[in-house]
Amino acid sequence: MLDKSYEPQKKESLIYKKWEDNKCFKPYSDFHKDSNQENYTIIMPPPNITGQLHIGHALNNTTQDFFIRYKRMQGYNTLWIPGTDHASIATEVKIIDSLKKEGLSKEKLGRDEFLRRAWQWNDKYGGRIKLQLKSLGCSCDWDRCAFTMDEQRQKSVLHVFKSLYDEGYIFRGEKLINWCPTCKTALSDAEVEHIDEDSSLWYIRYPYADDSGYLVVATTRPETIFGDVCVAVNPEDERYKDKIGKYVVLPIINKKIPIISDNYVEKDFGTGVVKITPAHDFNDYEVGRRHGFEPIKIMNLDGTMNEFCGKYANLDRYKCRELLVADLKSLDLIEKIEPYRLPKATCYRCHNAIEPMMSKQWFMNMQEMAKLGLDAVDNGELEIVPKRVEKIYRNWLENIKDWCISRQLWWGHRIPAYYCKDCGNSMVELSAPSKCSKCGSDHIEQDPDVLDTWFSSALWPFSTLGYPDDTADLNRFFPTSTLVTAQDIIFFWVARMVMLSKKIMDKTPFSKVLINGIVRDDEGKKMSKSSNNGVDPIEIIEKYGADSLRLSLLFGNGTGNDFRFSEEKILEDRKFINKVFNSGKFLELVLSQTYETKLDKSKLNMFDKWIYSKLDEAITEINKLVDNLDICQAVNKMYSFVWDDFCNYYIEFSKPYVYNEDKEIRANACAILKDVYLNILKLLHPIIPFITEDIYSNFTNELIIDKSYAESLGKFDREKEKVEKIISLIQKIRETRLSYNVAPAKRISLVIDKSNISDESINIINEAKLVLSKMINIEKIDVLDSIGNDFIKFVSELGEFYFYKNEVLDTEKEREKINKDIDKINSEIKILESRILNPNFVSRAPQQLVEKEKSRYEYLLTSKKSLEEKLHDLDKA
RNA sequence: GGGAGAUUAGCGCAGUUGGUAGAGUACCUGCCUUACAAGCAGAGGGUCAUAGGUUCGAGUCCUAUAUCUCCCACCA
């Protein structure tokens, strides 16, 4: 028995358990090793264990689950691998925060104890995430669940690191890198966020060494003056041409530095003179390198000034700036200070300012890798949806630089590099060497640093399948099929997966990438942890059920478009599920009144054939849309098929048959209704898995998740057309009744003029007699030889029809209505005339269209004429 | 500074090779019709941001402009 009403809360977890117990989420090939079904594989973007999932995750994972369930039912050998990400820096920041609350610090705890805490953290939050995914209904194979730092994934990371090191793609060196003084680690370029901030442009006077006045330098960072190695002007700048090669004296520290020329300098900005600080600015680093200057480091790793800065040493850089500017002012070396808005580089995790610093780090050379990434889209191995995202992807790869992969953190994959304390030799090995390969010393130390968290994520498509081991999974499921993810990690993750998969596995890791839009709150703001407007999917699921949430996420949202989340939308969409549920109730009711249901294909009536045709049409369309990753339109199609075609019409059509006195008719009608309904459940299962499973189990002993996708009994064009005509007649009758204010309960007669209607129409109407009487309260159908004045006429596609005046008439209403109709027709006639009377249209538009428009025009003219006649008759009467 | 997207009914949105604007919801009218009032049947409501252009024909293609959002970026 179905529940009294749709109440999802109680049942969903039980249903999920049933799926798990029956191993429904496992690929078919796990049980049938020699299965040759085509594979369909998705790797889940592993959520960070920093916290819990929000609606954006729910959107991505619902999308993935939709594809997986759909493909599973279509007979693919499906595998969806779930997992979580250790999120090195993000998690470490969180743990440090929580330690702070206990009055602890990471240094106090020590590395081992800190890591123990981190693993505890993983147990807690990783577990919560899995729970959330299960509540959402995700049908992923939990036995294959991976964690970016579990044993197998550590092994993958080691192997990839070593092989890229051996090939020379990974190297160690001292370069200018992004340094977060708060997190105290290096960051990659991708991890730096630029935020516009109000600041100033300081114009500082640099006296010439020969005492002939001074040069004015405009800078946004006066405190880096200690690291200046020269000042630069544009070689074409007339103002300074004769100064090139001369020297200026750095204020405060009184150091002589040269004036050089470089094209990098823009004449029109500031004073056209730039101070060059190679150790603390990326452009200056390049300029310095071009002109052979050694960078001078002036900052400590915590963002304070170093001993090189005299009395400013150990001051925070901003404090230093303040004092220095004051000092310069008192020396009259500040020409002016202008307000200036500049993009401030900040850490994507702690949001504090980062500093470019010289530091010894590990890097990955990306030049060749980027080509691999570009090839993938160029030669069609990888399709990115929506298409526009491809440009973003391409642009990033075209401007890529070396990837700084080492982090001065503890939570992460420790770099497998070992240094000999005696001879300084460095070794990269899969396991810790006991002796130095060069001098034989056993004073060996592992590099204390860990890898960028995105290094391990980049290997996800093959690390999850068992790389570097030669596993059955790797052979069977790599490369995977579709990747579904959010747009903010295209660079961090998607591009790097493509590059590394091509490099390591020699294959593009997936053939399609679907990039979902951003989830916003109901005010249109981006949902994020920092704005604290995130919504926990569990909360919504408890309130409305997972199916409602899933439907709401998938329905009415264009592919790749941003999505505005609101509870109202969930309430709106839930109505659809309720509708599906209630149609199940109806089926249950009619089945309970029937002893036998047997589907006899030879006994389909025209309505049955119509619904099967519509079903067939819907399936075909949905297949096409899903293949194009257009879930939005696919769900739209399901919605209108189920609600409009099935519920509003077919169920009503079926009533005279399922309640028929003839047992045989009744049995067959019930069987057909059931068949169509079960197919509808299959159609909908990928969007709303729980309710469809629940209802399906009510009518069968099988699990819908395992069944094949919806399939129609056939396609019947002639009957389809007939029923469409019936439908339009029904609509016309309803409209006419309403316009004459005929009470819905009043049974009236439908009249046909025998001389003015085709035999076919009469046949169709006879066939639909039962239905018409039921749906629009038609008492009887009179076929008359001729029609006089006592009738109300209306036209449908089946021909001309009449009501008895005395049954329906209200003269005033009638006149109003006819006038309205004439107005409508007139405006359409106008539009048509503008075309068919236009010789250009007639000669250049497709002939078919011209014909169509012409016949429509003729039809309108006759209709108009008959309406005018009617009006005339009315006036007479 | 560069790039991308958005702008369609009161609201939040769909609209895939250019061919007379669509569903949901809200509002209005009438119905508690034996699956469903979380429903049924109807009605109204849009010069598709603006201005040009291409075309017989533009929400759809092109060019500008405006407003909003997002991404990228070293003009010190």
Side-chain angles (χ1 to χ4, degrees), chain A residues 10 87 96 98 113 274 344 374 435 454 463 539 550 552 596 599 624 634 660 743:
Chain A
K10 295 178 278 184
I96 290 170
S98 79
E113 181 54 27
V274 186
K344 177 171 125 185
L374 289 167
K435 276 187 182 146
W454 298 102
S463 71
E539 213 177 281
R550 293 171 62 113
S552 179
E596 196 189 356
L599 207 167
K624 212 171 89 191
N660 204 286

Side-chain angles (χ1 to χ4, degrees), chain A residues 412-666:
Chain A
H413 292 272
R414 192 146 170 194
I415 292 175
Y418 303 87
Y419 309 117
C420 173
K421 281 186 184 172
D422 291 335
C423 75
N425 179 34
S426 72
M427 298 157 273
V428 169
E429 297 298 341
L430 295 176
S431 56
S434 53
K435 276 187 182 146
C436 171
S437 60
K438 210 168 173 184
C439 74
S441 160
D442 57 1
H443 288 166
I444 294 192
E445 211 170 44
Q446 185 173 4
D447 194 308
D449 292 349
V450 301
L451 286 169
D452 181 359
T453 196
W454 298 102
F455 188 97
S456 54
S457 331
L459 318 181
W460 199 238
F462 47 96
S463 71
T464 48
L465 291 167
Y467 174 90
D469 301 327
D470 184 26
T471 63
D473 274 5
L474 196 58
N475 288 320
R476 191 185 282 272
F477 296 109
F478 188 88
T480 69
S481 312
T482 308
L483 178 80
V484 179
T485 191
Q487 58 188 30
D488 50 349
I489 52 177
I490 295 168
F491 313 133
F492 284 120
W493 195 47
V494 180
R496 286 172 179 158
M497 276 194 287
V498 176
M499 290 187 279
L500 282 166
S501 287
K502 289 207 73 169
K503 179 71 205 153
I504 302 292
M505 303 295 292
D506 206 25
K507 278 178 189 159
T508 305
F510 22 73
S511 46
K512 288 183 182 185
V513 178
L514 174 59
I515 303 287
N516 272 320
I518 292 171
V519 175
R520 302 168 180 285
D521 64 15
D522 47 12
E523 285 168 10
K525 284 199 208 111
K526 182 176 170 178
M527 269 196 193
S528 69
K529 281 167 218 152
S530 48
S531 358
N532 209 19
N533 57 353
V535 173
D536 181 358
I538 297 269
E539 213 177 281
I540 301 298
I541 289 168
E542 277 169 1
K543 241 163 137 178
Y544 308 103
D547 286 334
S548 298
L549 174 60
R550 293 171 62 113
L551 176 63
S552 179
L553 291 169
L554 297 184
F555 181 54
N557 299 115
T559 309
N561 287 357
D562 288 356
F563 169 64
R564 194 176 285 212
F565 177 83
S566 74
E567 289 198 40
E568 285 99 276
K569 182 166 189 314
I570 293 187
L571 281 168
E572 285 169 18
D573 295 341
R574 189 182 57 171
K575 292 182 180 178
F576 176 70
I577 304 178
N578 188 57
K579 189 76 183 172
V580 173
F581 177 82
N582 276 310
S583 44
K585 293 286 284 183
F586 174 70
L587 177 63
E588 186 177 53
L589 179 79
V590 298
L591 288 179
S592 73
Q593 297 168 5
T594 304
Y595 302 106
E596 196 189 356
T597 58
K598 225 170 70 198
L599 207 167
D600 185 345
K601 270 196 213 174
S602 66
K603 287 185 180 157
L604 300 182
N605 64 36
M606 71 173 170
F607 301 107
D608 303 331
K609 289 181 176 172
W610 170 76
I611 194 69
Y612 277 118
S613 295
K614 296 296 272 190
L615 175 64
D616 183 82
E617 213 176 87
I619 293 169
T620 311
E621 230 170 285
I622 289 163
N623 285 346
K624 212 171 89 191
L625 290 165
V626 175
D627 281 345
N628 291 335
L629 309 189
D630 194 347
I631 298 185
C632 170
Q633 296 298 324
V635 175
N636 261 329
K637 184 69 216 173
M638 295 176 195
Y639 193 101
S640 68
F641 171 70
V642 172
W643 202 314
D644 300 341
D645 296 335
F646 181 71
C647 292
N648 285 356
Y649 282 103
Y650 185 71
I651 285 188
E652 296 307 320
F653 289 151
S654 77
K655 279 178 181 172
Y657 300 93
V658 297
Y659 290 131
N660 204 286
E661 281 167 16
D662 182 323
K663 269 189 192 162
E664 236 174 84
I665 289 179
R666 191 198 285 198

